[in-house]
């Protein structure tokens, strides 16, 4: 249900605690004792793991309170902050501090949230130490982590946001709002079919953007997906949002009655920095609800997982979409989508997809039944992981693939840094770029805090022995790239290297 790549190349994966026993025992005879659990008060099985990409192995973790439909963000020091959930987990903050040994585990802080945060969204803020937590079921408000954040007054622990109340309908359709930090420091917030530019420092809606065309809701349970397109430091700071998929209005209620309405097949792009922005609409090769959008290192966007009809929720979808599509934002209109080879596994409710260090995409989940139902149903609970390999990993592109030899590991804003790389067949400087990506906390078709910045390149020289030295400039502001760990990629002729962690 939830995945986050950490800077030690391990992935935290977890689902929920109130479905009974899992198939993985907690080590050392440990058990979870929870009198509030609705199914099993004593549970000696794991509901969270730490997956090691390199060795394809995992270690059980112990999560105490219910994390169903929770949210997360990574602080500048690499700590995963995980907030909310269901039942006894809805007011909880959890921390996971990455380690190189096998001793790190979840640490939980009960009653650390002022309001119930179930289906809320987290966004890291420019200081790298603060997170804004927006919305949740019947929560038309937001708060900050930590509570004593510079953004909170001592007398207020949460703040009303009327926009969230206005965008709720009979199916809700405003849960897990899409939130993106923009280069000007404001937040883009999208719920249902509406979006605003929001100044969280003053609790003020700066402007409202036009409704997305077509009238189809895009947020849970209609469950489209969104990305902030790459921010390019070589251009005037533009910001553009892309939202794909969703379901027509009342699809959730219709699915509950056994009628599964065709999902939305449209994507909308909105350049929020324009003086008079309007949605530019495009049509995907197939309709899709519950799709995941993943920023790839070369700037392409992968749309993967989901279904052609219905909505999110238990058994509410039909006609799985097993073919991913890749969207190339800079190509001419009507020539941007490419259909990929299909997976053999449907990935429906509670499936996830995240970018890995080597450029593959880790895909997992699909848990559309209560209590881990594996048999006698149309779409059984799926416990497998897959890796999707984008076209740039094909062997034919090896002559163009850069390999990073050296990079400064700690960067400063507006400072120059050296990246040394090798490539068998170097074409020309104009085909080269250096990009940093903040990995996402992914759940319910939403990649929270997913972010790419194209860095400004200054000069390139040949260093001998087949190596090239490239001088690049660190991000210009914290609003463009909040402090923290990023994957750095050298991209040559649209073929990326493997990623290297920089801070």
């Amino acid at each position: 249900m939830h995945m986050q790549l950490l800077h030690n190349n391990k992935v935290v994966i977890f689902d929920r605690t109130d479905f009974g026993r899992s198939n993985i025992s907690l080590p050392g005879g440990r058990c979870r004792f929870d009198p509030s659990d609705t199914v099993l008060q004593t549970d000696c099985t794991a509901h969270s793991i730490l997956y090691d990409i390199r060795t394809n192995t995992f270690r059980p973790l112990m999560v105490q309170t219910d994390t169903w439909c929770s949210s997360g963000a990574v602080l500048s020091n690499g700590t995963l902050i995980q907030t909310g959930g269901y039942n006894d987990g809805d007011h909880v903050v959890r921390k996971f501090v990455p380690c190189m040994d096998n001793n790190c585990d979840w640490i939980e802080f009960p009653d650390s949230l002022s309001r119930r945060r179930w289906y809320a969204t987290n966004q890291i803020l420019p200081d790298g130490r603060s997170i804004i937590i927006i919305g949740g079921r019947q929560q038309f408000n937001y708060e900050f982590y930590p509570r004593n954040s510079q953004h909170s007054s001592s007398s207020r622990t949460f703040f009303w946001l009327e926009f969230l109340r206005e965008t709720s309908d009979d199916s809700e359709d405003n849960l897990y709002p899409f939130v993106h930090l923009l280069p000007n420091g404001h937040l883009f917030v999208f719920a249902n079919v509406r979006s605003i530019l929001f100044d969280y420092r003053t609790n003020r809606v700066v402007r409202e953007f036009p409704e997305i065309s077509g009238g189809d809701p895009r947020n849970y349970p209609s469950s489209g997906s969104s990305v902030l397109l790459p921010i390019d430091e070589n251009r005037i700071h533009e910001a553009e949002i892309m939202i794909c998929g969703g379901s027509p209005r009342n699809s959730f209620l219709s699915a509950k009655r056994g009628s599964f309405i065709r999902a939305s097949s449209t994507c909308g792009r909105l350049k929020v920095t324009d003086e008079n922005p309007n949605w530019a609409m495009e049509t995907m090769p197939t309709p899709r609800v519950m799709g995941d959008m993943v920023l790839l290192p070369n700037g392409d966007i992968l749309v993967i997982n989901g279904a052609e009809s219905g909505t999110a929720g238990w058994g509410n979808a039909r006609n799985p979409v097993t073919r991913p599509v890749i969207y190339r934002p800079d190509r001419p209109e009507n020539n941007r989508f490419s259909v990929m080879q299909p997976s053999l596994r449907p990935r429906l409710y509670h499936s996830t997809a995240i970018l890995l260090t080597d450029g593959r995409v880790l895909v997992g989940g699909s848990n559309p039944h209560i209590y881990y139902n594996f048999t006698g149903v149309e779409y059984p609970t799926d416990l497998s992981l897959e890796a999707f390999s984008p076209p740039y990993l094909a062997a034919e592109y090896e002559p163009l693939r850069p390999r990073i030899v050296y990079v400064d590991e700690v960067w400063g804003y507006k400072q120059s840094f050296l990246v040394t790389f090798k490539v068998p067949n170097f074409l020309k400087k104009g085909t080269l770029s250096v990009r940093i990506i903040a990995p996402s906390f992914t759940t319910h078709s939403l990649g929270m805090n997913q972010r790419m910045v194209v860095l400004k390149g200054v000069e390139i020289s040949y260093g001998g022995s087949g190596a090239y030295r490239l001088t690049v400039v660190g991000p210009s502001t914290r609003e463009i790239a909040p402090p923290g760990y990023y994957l750095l990629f050298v991209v040559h002729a649209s073929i990326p290297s493997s990623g290297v962690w920089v801070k």
Side-chain angles (χ1 to χ4, degrees), residues 23-228:
N23 288 338
I24 304 171
S25 296
L26 286 166
R30 298 178 72 192
C31 295
R32 183 178 67 92
F33 301 101
D34 187 355
S36 299
D37 195 288
T38 56
V39 175
L40 197 64
Q41 283 72 48
T42 300
D43 185 357
C44 302
T45 62
H47 299 275
S48 178
I49 65 167
L50 189 64
Y51 174 65
D52 189 319
I53 302 166
R54 183 180 61 84
T55 62
N56 191 33
T57 59
F58 66 86
R59 177 169 67 87
L61 302 175
M62 182 169 173
V63 62
Q64 174 70 23
T65 54
D66 198 355
T67 52
W68 180 24
C69 306
S70 51
S71 49
V74 176
L75 301 179
S76 60
N77 64 2
T79 297
L80 171 60
I81 299 296
Q82 209 277 314
T83 59
Y86 181 64
N87 194 19
D88 62 351
D90 59 7
H91 283 69
V92 175
V93 170
R94 306 169 194 87
K95 288 185 181 181
F96 187 87
V97 182
C99 62
M100 298 310 294
D101 56 26
N102 289 327
N103 294 323
C104 46
D105 209 331
W106 288 106
I107 303 170
E108 304 202 21
F109 302 88
D111 298 319
S112 293
L113 299 172
S114 65
R115 286 293 182 270
R116 183 193 199 201
R117 300 299 171 192
W118 188 31
Y119 298 96
T121 300
N122 289 11
Q123 171 63 55
I124 193 73
L125 296 177
D127 62 7
R129 301 185 303 272
S130 305
I131 300 166
I132 188 169
I133 307 165
I134 300 179
R137 175 153 283 171
Q138 296 301 308
Q139 296 298 328
F140 310 123
N141 53 69
Y142 63 94
E143 63 183 285
F144 296 96
Y145 171 87
R147 277 192 183 180
N148 60 355
S149 163
Q150 60 179 318
H151 309 296
S152 302
S153 66
S154 57
S155 60
R156 299 185 65 182
T157 58
F158 71 97
F159 302 81
W160 292 109
L161 183 55
E162 188 62 26
F163 169 75
L164 295 177
R165 186 188 304 276
E166 294 169 357
T167 51
S168 184
D169 59 23
D170 290 343
S171 301
E172 294 184 278
D173 281 326
N174 70 344
L175 301 178
Y176 280 131
F178 303 149
V179 180
H180 299 284
L181 174 66
L182 301 179
N184 63 5
H186 295 332
L187 299 177
F188 173 86
V189 183
F190 184 102
N192 204 313
V193 297
R194 293 170 54 189
S195 53
I196 56 173
L197 184 65
F198 183 62
D199 185 346
Y200 63 90
R201 298 180 184 90
T202 61
N203 189 29
R204 182 172 65 94
V205 175
V206 177
R207 71 182 302 180
E208 179 156 358
F209 299 106
E211 290 188 6
I212 194 167
S213 304
D216 291 343
R218 309 286 175 153
N219 297 84
Y220 184 93
S222 289
S223 292
S225 192
S226 77
V227 291
L228 171 66

Side-chain angles (χ1 to χ4, degrees), residues 466-479:
Y468 295 86
R469 290 193 295 260
L470 180 63
T471 303
V472 294
V473 180
S476 53
T477 69
R478 292 167 175 257
E479 288 74 20

Side-chain angles (χ1 to χ4, degrees), residues 2 66-67 72 138 287 305 308 314 345 391 497:
H2 315 280
D66 198 355
T67 52
Q138 296 301 308
N305 299 335
E308 289 190 19
W314 306 115
R345 296 178 179 272
S497 66

Side-chain angles (χ1 to χ4, degrees), residues 7 26 309 368 422 445:
H7 69 273
L26 286 166
S309 55
K422 292 184 176 182
S445 305

